[in-house]
Amino acid sequence: MSNLYSRLAACFPNDTKPFAHLSDGRVVTYGDLEIETARYANALTKLGVAIGDRVAVQAEKSIELLILYLACVRAGAVFLPLNPAYTAGELDYFMRDAEPALFVCDPASQTRIETLAAAAGIARVETLDASGGGSLPAIAASQPALFETVERDDDDLAAILYTSGTTGRSKGAMLSHDNLASNAFTLKEYWRFTGDDVLLHALPIFHTHGLFVATNIMLAAGGSMRFLAKFDAEAVLRELPHATVMMGVPTFYIRLLGEPRFTRDLVGHIRLFVSGSAPLSADIHREFAGRTGHAILERYGMTETNMNTSNPYDGDRRAGTVGFPLPGVSIRTVDPENHAPLAQGEVGMIAIAGPNVFKGYWRMPEKTAAEFHDGHFLSGDLGLIDDRGYVSIVGRAKDLIISGGYNVYPAEVETALDELEEIHESAVIGVPHPDLGEGVVAVVVPRETGFADSGRVKALLADSLARFKQPRRIVFVDALPKNAMGKVQKTVLRADYGDSFTG
Ligand code: MCA
Ligand code: AMP
């Protein structure tokens, strides 16, 4: 039994148990989930989606979108979720690279997507809106409520998630049925999830955190979710008393601490707060503990590897660390240049092996090979393992900014800026941001002296870059600081503009 869905469904509680409580009062039970995923899986088959075909989806968060994810898994298709913030230019690349058999989009963007899809040779486009309407749900509604889940091998693909890189275009991380299932069951045990748990789900569902960590664990535990469309402090404060667990990026917890109504009493029912996707500052960890009595449990993951490490459930959840390697996961630090393993306590690149580690980048065998050494995936994160075995992340060997839990690669923003007529050259850095952790700053040299219209630059970027990648601040300079080799000295820029959002 290797299909991820079959492995999760083997743990489902009785049909009447709620799987998700929605904001509009609707309740989706485990029985509904079996029936609806069957209908959607039948719909996919009817639409010509075959085993191994990609189903790309750019739609707003809804329970139907989760049902579609599980239906793809049941049908042996490969689920490929995309951030609704992506622009046409970004989508065009994903469509051509992934060659999905079906693209599911919001009805509001149907015309635009159909044009792009036709140019990319995609046979079918269907729609799904935020309230669960659209052409795909309409097809599913007329389908049989039974579907025999397709048998899959451990290494067969269940999903592809695109992740950017320091150079070149985005890469599709290929995740197998066993990558996802093994991680879900490990985390369920490690974090002591049971059928009594109720998870407050406010994360987006096009990334590992909200899609796999949050959802698959709940399914493996047979628990329930309070399912919110997005993080909205008001809604979270309202739902917290109904939940036992919350997962979030640090920005969620920073925003909650900004709410006077976020008190120890309000979270009296919660047994666990989990944070990940970006560094949680030790200060926030301590402030949170002081306010609520809860030590946030920080863990560390990547799109390519699912979850790698976690602070302990029992025992010391150490602020500023990401805890221990999960059971079955091997973590070592290696020399960033020659990849030789380093001694315990030495700072090096974190390298990871285990059943959680992905199958490689979609149609990029050379890039895949370059990121593995001695069976370990090279994360690009710099860290150390202390004498008690706790892993700390101390920096990044990759030029990456994490803003509110979303990754922004400076190289991609610099390319978009440099393509503008108005810009001669640019350098993009991440600097401390009180809400988002890091904020994007662009330092640019205009083509014409005196040009300093940041509003115009931002407007011009709107077509090529998703909003979260766009610089929050643009600084115009006469020249960029460079070393003798002609390389931009980003450390100088970080020193000069580091207080852009905190000064
Ligand atoms: C939204 N905006 C952002 C971000 N999110 N800008 C920069 N960084 C962001 N993260 C833009 C909006 O488009 C909007 O633009 C403006 O900022 C203000 O939006 P606001 O209302 O403040 O934002 P929001 O809708 O409240 O979203 C902030 C958020 C959200 C709640 C922090 O970004 C979020 O849910 N982040 C979670 C990301 C996540 O799940 N990452 C996991 C990746 P305008 O004003 O122009 O309209 S998985 C991963 O990293 C690994 C595997 C792991 O370990 O988990
Ligand atoms: P993604 O490509 O979205 O999967 O982002 C993965 C990256 O997020 C990792 O390589 C880390 O740099 C970062 N990350 C995830 N969790 C943490 C954490 N708890 N602390 C620091 N960085 C983290």
Side-chain angles (χ1 to χ4, degrees), residues 217-230:
I217 294 182
M218 287 325 290
L219 292 167
S224 306
M225 308 199 286
R226 309 292 296 195
F227 194 72
L228 299 180
K230 59 173 288 207

Side-chain angles (χ1 to χ4, degrees), residues 8 11 24 75 81 102 174 177 245 359 374:
L8 295 171
C11 310
D24 62 5
L102 169 67
M174 301 191 289
H177 285 257
V245 182
K359 299 292 147 196
D374 191 21

